Amino acid sequence: MTDKLCDISPEVREELKKFRFRKSTTNSALILKIDREKQLVILDESLDDVSVEELQEQLPGHQPRYVIYSYRMEHDDSRISFPMCFIFYTPRDSQMELQLLYAATKMALQREADLTRVYEIRELEDFTDEWLKEKLK
């Protein structure tokens, strides 16, 4: 028994690589979803210069998504860093079958993205700048 139900598409693997090594100075995000027919993690959207609020608006109300987010963070000593995080979004009212599919594939995708900052969100309105800053401290 394997811990992943879905494969990760070559396109997503490529996007993850590019995303990790890009030289952007703004917040950027990859929104990934599962193609249920193909049992494949695919790219939903790639967003550049996107605030947490804008990102929140891009996420569907009733379907899970994986978000890889590079966040521009200004520290108290004026340093700027770009922590990358993996946000697993599963709305409470999404179909149980979908929630399970996303949950089962999460670890494989997390390994593929090689990210250690992993956060889970159930309610879109919880996904705010303050929330993210608190998590990244």
Side-chain angles (χ1 to χ4, degrees):
M1 172 85 189
T2 163
D3 67 330
K4 68 171 184 174
L5 292 178
C6 299
D7 277 326
I8 299 164
S9 75
E11 179 197 18
V12 166
R13 290 177 198 276
E14 191 54 42
E15 282 297 325
L16 285 170
K17 225 177 278 163
K18 279 198 293 212
F19 194 76
R20 178 171 286 294
F21 296 110
R22 70 192 214 319
K23 298 281 181 261
S24 177
T25 54
T26 57
N27 297 346
S28 312
L30 291 178
I31 302 176
L32 307 173
K33 66 180 182 180
I34 290 179
D35 178 329
R36 288 166 80 175
E37 308 281 291
K38 297 180 181 155
Q39 297 279 294
L40 201 59
V41 177
I42 58 171
L43 183 65
D44 190 18
E45 272 186 281
S46 178
L47 305 165
D48 231 359
D49 197 7
V50 61
S51 71
V52 172
E53 287 74 24
E54 291 165 333
L55 185 52
Q56 189 190 60
E57 287 166 16
Q58 295 300 319
L59 294 171
H62 305 294
Q63 292 183 341
R65 288 293 183 268
Y66 305 111
V67 179
I68 314 286
Y69 196 40
S70 174
Y71 183 70
R72 184 180 197 272
M73 201 162 154
E74 209 162 310
H75 300 270
D76 298 337
D77 61 5
S78 298
R79 283 179 312 115
I80 291 174
S81 67
F82 292 88
M84 274 176 69
C85 47
F86 180 86
I87 299 164
F88 179 46
Y89 166 61
T90 46
R92 290 181 204 290
D93 55 358
S94 59
Q95 294 175 345
M96 193 41 120
E97 177 195 340
L98 252 173
Q99 289 185 37
L100 292 170
L101 193 59
Y102 274 78
T105 307
K106 176 182 159 228
M107 281 308 292
L109 187 58
Q110 192 184 325
R111 274 195 302 273
E112 181 69 35
D114 192 23
L115 293 174
T116 51
R117 293 182 183 96
V118 180
Y119 312 114
E120 212 160 305
I121 288 191
R122 302 285 281 177
E123 305 292 337
L124 262 183
E125 55 273 10
D126 294 344
F127 185 34
T128 62
D129 252 338
E130 293 69 40
W131 176 86
L132 191 56
K133 281 180 182 148
E134 192 53 45
K135 293 285 188 194
L136 291 170
K137 273 186 183 166

